[in-house]
Amino acid sequence: MSITEPRTVDHQVRADAVSAPQPHDGLRPRLSWRRGRVLAGCTLTLAVLLALRSHLPSGPGQLGSLAQTLAPWSGVAVPVLLVLALARRSAPAQIAVVLTALIWGALFGGVLIDKRQQGGGLTVVSHNVDEANRDPEGTARRLAASGADIIALEELRAAAVPAYERVLNRAYGHHSVRGTVGLWSTYPLSDTESVAIMPWTRALRSTVETPEGPVAVYVAHLASVRVHPGTGFTTSRRNEAARLLTDALDAERLERTLLVGDLNGSTDDSALARLTSGMRSAQKSAGKGFGFSWPASFPVVRIDHILARGIDPVSSRTLPATGSDHLPVAATFRL
């Protein structure tokens, strides 16, 4: 007995030692401050770029303009980054995602609110009809069905102008076409003239004589931009056209002024800031959502605009697709 008892006790002690819970077993922290630092760094970089987007330098290839134009789509990255941060159980990454979401919401959250109102006395439609449009008469009929008081068209092909005139002239007794832009109105037009923003005519200015007084209307189609792998986002011709258009608007004597058309850029593009800063975007002031207008099949940017000075927008929207690669945009104003 004196020999076996110690062995029994020793066996029991060892068994107890094996079965005893180890320190911190099952108590690992759910969040780690060490994991996900690279993910947190990438997310914070996005947050900084968003916060400073208006100050981004153009740099090589005008990448600043491109980033500003596509900035609203950065919100798509937030839920993806959040899933990754949760999967990594990374505290820094999760904090960075929350910060990015707050910055995006502060910048663009108000755009998502429905600010449209009822009423208004002047409805304007603008549409880049696409020079390759195979159904100009059908496009014209859809635009006329909007009931707008003023219809502005851009990228008019000379051979297609008679087709637009045949349809629109039935409801719009006043119109003028200059180069590749045109204006149709239910109210009289006066002082219509071309605006020199490019070597060929892509802008006009006219006075619309509404019952509540004259309104200056500018119809413009700024130079196109291109994205090339080698040269980046080419905007120099567009920016020069915007400068010339700004000069014309600065010289405008009428207090109530509208600028409508295809500006080939968003109002967030700092390269267009001098042109757009003195005017209110109808979509941002009285629309719902971003109102993306191009391409019509799956709109990702709003490059078609209705901007106002001295006149209050009541509502703004995009219209159904036509035969163009752009969506028409519409806005109603209180005179």
Side-chain angles (χ1 to χ4, degrees), residues 61-87:
Q62 303 294 320
L63 294 180
S65 287
L66 182 60
Q68 291 158 353
T69 299
L70 298 177
W73 286 96
S74 61
V76 176
V78 172
V80 176
L81 293 170
L82 178 59
V83 169
L84 294 175
L86 291 173

Side-chain angles (χ1 to χ4, degrees), residues 199-313:
W200 56 96
T201 302
R202 286 173 54 135
L204 67 78
R205 183 262 182 216
S206 186
T207 299
V208 178
E209 303 289 352
T210 76
E212 288 76 20
V215 177
V217 177
Y218 287 76
V219 183
H221 183 193
L222 298 189
S224 300
V225 298
R226 298 286 185 269
V227 180
H228 297 288
T231 58
F233 195 50
T234 57
T235 64
S236 57
R237 292 176 64 187
R238 182 205 64 178
N239 296 349
E240 175 61 16
R243 184 188 67 78
L244 295 172
L245 182 58
T246 302
D247 291 342
L249 285 164
D250 288 345
E252 176 57 52
R253 295 182 178 181
L254 287 180
E255 179 182 356
R256 296 188 296 183
T257 302
L258 294 175
L259 169 59
V260 302
D262 178 1
L263 302 185
N264 272 308
S266 77
T267 53
D268 293 318
D269 189 339
S270 60
L272 300 179
R274 184 166 169 255
L275 174 63
T276 61
S277 60
M279 311 195 80
R280 297 174 64 189
S281 164
Q283 181 64 27
K284 286 188 175 182
S285 300
K288 178 185 179 182
F290 293 100
F292 294 144
S293 62
W294 182 88
S297 56
F298 186 80
V300 297
V301 293
R302 184 179 179 89
I303 59 177
D304 301 278
H305 301 279
I306 300 177
L307 308 178
R309 183 174 68 200
I311 182 173
D312 295 325

Side-chain angles (χ1 to χ4, degrees), residues 155-169:
E155 206 168 294
L156 281 170
R157 180 166 47 93
V161 170
Y164 289 104
E165 291 177 332
R166 278 194 299 271
V167 176
L168 294 178
N169 288 4

